[in-house]
């Protein structure tokens, strides 16, 4: 009933930029926090950036000053603007959202993941 769809991933050269989008749809009553995670081959999944319903943001230390998370509540969409990309940013990026549905059930929902590859 609730679905998260990501877009915007791709191949980019070091120093380049990408913007990821994640749109939530379905029987959504309310969306609380939203976040972006990533997982590189051979590494554990890590939290990249998060944003609360009030707009408070947090970032992984290694992306501070380069990445910006934002959300459009009217569109149920969260974005991740990624600038000055480095090869170590290469990973599958996953959207996450804490959602209360019309059945008054609450839980974490995940997107399918979008590949970001930074290579020259």
């Amino acid at each position: 009933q609730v679905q998260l769809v990501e877009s915007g991933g791709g191949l980019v050269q070091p120093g380049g930029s990408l913007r990821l989008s994640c749109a939530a749809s379905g029987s959504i009553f309310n969306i609380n926090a939203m976040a972006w995670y990533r997982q590189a081959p051979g590494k554990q999944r890590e939290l990249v950036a998060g944003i609360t319903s009030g707009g408070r943001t947090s970032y992984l230390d290694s992306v501070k000053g380069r990445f910006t998370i934002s959300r459009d509540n009217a569109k149920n969409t969260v974005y991740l603007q990624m600038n000055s990309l480095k090869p170590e940013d290469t990973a599958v990026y996953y959207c996450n959202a804490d959602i209360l549905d019309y059945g008054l059930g609450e839980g974490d929902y995940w997107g399918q993941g979008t590949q970001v590859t930074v290579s020259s």
Side-chain angles (χ1 to χ4, degrees):
Q1 288 187 294
V2 177
Q3 183 176 231
L4 302 182
V5 179
E6 299 144 321
S7 62
L11 174 65
V12 66
Q13 293 185 339
S17 298
L18 286 173
R19 187 179 71 168
L20 306 183
S21 299
C22 173
S25 62
S27 58
I28 298 169
F29 183 81
N30 188 57
I31 300 178
N32 298 312
M34 303 187 80
W36 289 96
Y37 289 77
R38 70 185 182 189
Q39 187 165 24
K43 300 208 172 186
Q44 293 190 358
R45 184 179 63 183
E46 62 184 353
L47 176 63
V48 177
I51 185 167
T52 69
S53 60
R56 179 181 292 181
T57 60
S58 61
Y59 297 93
L60 183 68
D61 284 343
S62 62
V63 309
K64 286 182 178 178
R66 299 190 296 120
F67 291 10
T68 302
I69 188 171
S70 62
R71 63 190 288 174
D72 185 336
N73 292 330
K75 296 181 179 180
N76 289 332
T77 300
V78 63
Y79 305 93
L80 185 67
Q81 178 67 45
M82 304 184 293
N83 299 325
S84 302
L85 283 162
K86 304 174 180 179
E88 48 263 47
D89 295 318
T90 296
V92 177
Y93 284 70
Y94 297 91
C95 177
N96 171 262
D98 180 18
I99 296 175
L100 182 69
D101 63 29
Y102 278 106
L104 270 48
E106 184 176 354
D108 287 330
Y109 290 85
W110 294 87
Q112 80 286 351
T114 185
Q115 176 70 231
V116 171
T117 302
V118 185
S119 180
S120 59

